Amino acid sequence: MGKRCYGMRRLQFAQGLALAEGMPDVPPDVAAAAHDVAITPGQDVTGQIAAGTETNRYTLTLANNARLVLSSFSGDTSAQLAIIGANGTMRTINLGQAQGYGSGSPVFSLAAGSYTLAVTGTTSTATPAYGFSLYDISTSQALTAGTPVSATLQPNQGIAAYTISAAA
């Protein structure tokens, strides 16, 4: 039974790989996963790639559409995260470069459903330690005009999100 499930996972990824052709940094072999762990938005995830060809897999199931922000706790540029949905690799993010986001938006949208998050090393010899969290911005705190806000981000690269209401 275990071999049959592994084969189905490999087939699903192989179909997704065809859809993701031409995308940079697509993990080389997500099917050779070390483990599958269920995670939820807001949960801190930490781990280490024990061997350069290892892939650590996490499953994220969303009951509703979500707008998410990745918070990376890793400065190691040899760790990468792929978000894989039913149609293949949707996004690949270098965890060591996921801070700041330059002029782009750190927010991305995922439809309700199940996703695989695959963490790999960028080379066959990389064994990076990593940490990340996906923050659902629908849970952000509402701000009131004129009220000061003070907070400390933990860990130091965490996310704090706020909403404001305004009339146009």
Side-chain angles (χ1 to χ4, degrees), residues 8-94:
M8 289 186 333
R9 285 186 193 143
R10 186 172 188 88
L11 177 61
Q12 289 171 345
F13 182 72
Q15 290 170 346
L17 184 59
L19 294 171
E21 285 181 31
M23 290 182 68
D25 301 326
V26 174
D29 190 6
V30 174
H35 60 285
D36 286 288
V37 177
I39 62 170
T40 58
Q43 178 181 344
D44 289 347
V45 177
T46 59
Q48 180 161 7
I49 302 299
T53 58
E54 178 181 84
T55 298
N56 293 348
R57 292 170 54 114
Y58 302 91
T59 303
L60 174 68
T61 301
L62 300 171
N64 300 303
N65 295 349
R67 295 180 51 197
L68 304 169
V69 175
L70 172 74
S71 178
S72 174
F73 318 138
S74 175
D76 190 336
T77 59
S78 67
Q80 67 182 7
L81 170 72
I83 302 171
I84 305 162
N87 294 323
T89 302
M90 304 175 68
R91 184 172 210 147
T92 302
I93 303 163
N94 184 301

